[in-house]
Amino acid sequence: MAPLQEQIQSINERLRTFGIEAIQEIKMTDKGGNQIGQIKYGFRPQYVFDSVNEVLGPENWRYELTKEEIFESQAVAEVRLFVQIDGDWMCKGSHKGQMQIVKGNVGDAQKGAITDAIQKCMSLLSIGSDAYKGLLKNVYLQGSQRTSATQSKTKPTSRTSQPPEPPANQGDPSATLPKIAGVSFENRQGVIIAIGDHLFDKKELLKAAGFQWDKTGKTWMKQAA
């Protein structure tokens, strides 16, 4: 088996081959849906875990949940990461992860916090290091611009304003998201949140796309497909 350093390099190279499809835009919001802090860009967890399993093997790494906390609007988890090297298990420290509780769904928030903590632990091994070096923003933005340019060339003209229909690929959660000017969307562990200004003015389009108003979080949301 190749040395761990070479395996980590292979994992990172594998993540880079996915391009924009493996990158997510991360926005923190308050209870009113207002953005908090800067927008960050990171690898989608499933792409990271799949790449690690492909190179290291699922039997050669594991984690232990050491602590969980539930606050009013946030779940926090601390985990320890272990990697097996030549038959011996090495602990590469611990990290805390967090996830906002949306519409009282504590279970999904707990799972999201654990996932966040595992990814942070993997950063101690330099897995997914492009995200922590700030190298994913340009990849994401350039990919988004190419996608928008392609869509603008193929989009048919219409005299009437109709709610956009979801694409045919229903297996991809992002495929069900409508295209609404000034509105972006964030997938928070299976819950899609609409983000933007003056969302109330666009409520009919959001309703047509399956979104519902969450009075508790004061956001428009829907379950991912």
Side-chain angles (χ1 to χ4, degrees):
M1 183 178 293
L4 181 59
Q5 186 174 1
E6 293 182 11
Q7 292 177 305
I8 292 172
Q9 183 177 350
S10 297
I11 293 171
N12 287 330
E13 289 175 353
R14 177 61 174 154
L15 285 170
R16 293 180 187 118
T17 63
F18 292 117
I20 187 176
E21 68 178 89
I23 303 173
Q24 60 182 342
E25 194 176 52
I26 303 170
K27 299 178 180 178
M28 296 296 293
T29 58
D30 58 21
K31 291 183 178 180
N34 300 310
Q35 182 181 320
I36 303 174
Q38 295 181 337
I39 299 174
K40 298 180 181 180
Y41 300 86
F43 286 112
R44 297 182 185 277
Q46 195 60 56
Y47 286 87
V48 176
F49 299 153
D50 286 348
S51 298
V52 171
N53 286 335
E54 181 180 323
V55 178
L56 294 184
E59 72 280 5
N60 290 319
W61 72 277
R62 61 184 175 86
Y63 75 92
E64 289 182 359
L65 178 63
T66 60
K67 188 176 182 180
E68 277 189 293
E69 294 179 283
I70 303 297
F71 299 97
E72 180 180 356
S73 60
Q74 192 176 70
V76 177
E78 182 175 2
V79 306
R80 299 171 67 194
L81 178 68
F82 295 83
V83 179
Q84 186 170 217
I85 302 175
D86 297 330
D88 296 323
W89 287 97
M90 176 190 72
C91 176
K92 193 57 179 176
S94 65
H95 246 305
K96 289 185 178 181
Q98 60 186 21
M99 182 60 61
Q100 288 179 296
I101 299 174
V102 179
K103 204 174 182 179
N105 197 333
V106 176
D108 279 350
Q110 286 178 299
K111 290 187 292 184
I114 293 172
T115 298
D116 184 40
I118 295 173
Q119 279 195 270
K120 288 178 179 176
C121 281
M122 288 183 172
S123 72
L124 298 175
L125 291 168
S126 295
I127 293 174
S129 60
D130 285 2
Y132 303 100
K133 293 177 181 177
L135 302 179
L136 299 184
K137 179 178 180 179
N138 287 339
V139 179
Y140 182 89
L141 295 179
Q142 290 173 4
S144 298
Q145 290 173 355
R146 287 195 295 268
T147 300
S148 299
T150 301
Q151 291 175 344
S152 64
K153 291 179 181 178
T154 59
K155 184 178 180 180
T157 57
S158 175
R159 294 183 179 179
T160 59
S161 175
Q162 297 291 337
E165 296 182 359
N169 182 12
Q170 299 296 320
D172 178 7
S174 63
T176 63
L177 300 180
K179 302 296 182 182
I180 303 176
V183 181
S184 61
F185 301 94
E186 180 180 354
N187 189 329
R188 299 179 184 171
Q189 298 299 314
V191 178
I192 307 298
I193 304 296
I195 299 173
D197 296 327
H198 308 297
L199 293 180
F200 189 79
D201 297 337
K202 301 162 186 174
K203 65 178 182 178
E204 296 303 326
L205 292 175
L206 290 167
K207 287 181 179 179
F211 282 79
Q212 296 180 338
W213 176 248
D214 176 22
K215 294 181 180 179
T216 303
K218 295 183 179 180
T219 58
W220 287 94
M221 59 171 289
K222 66 177 287 189
Q223 293 292 325

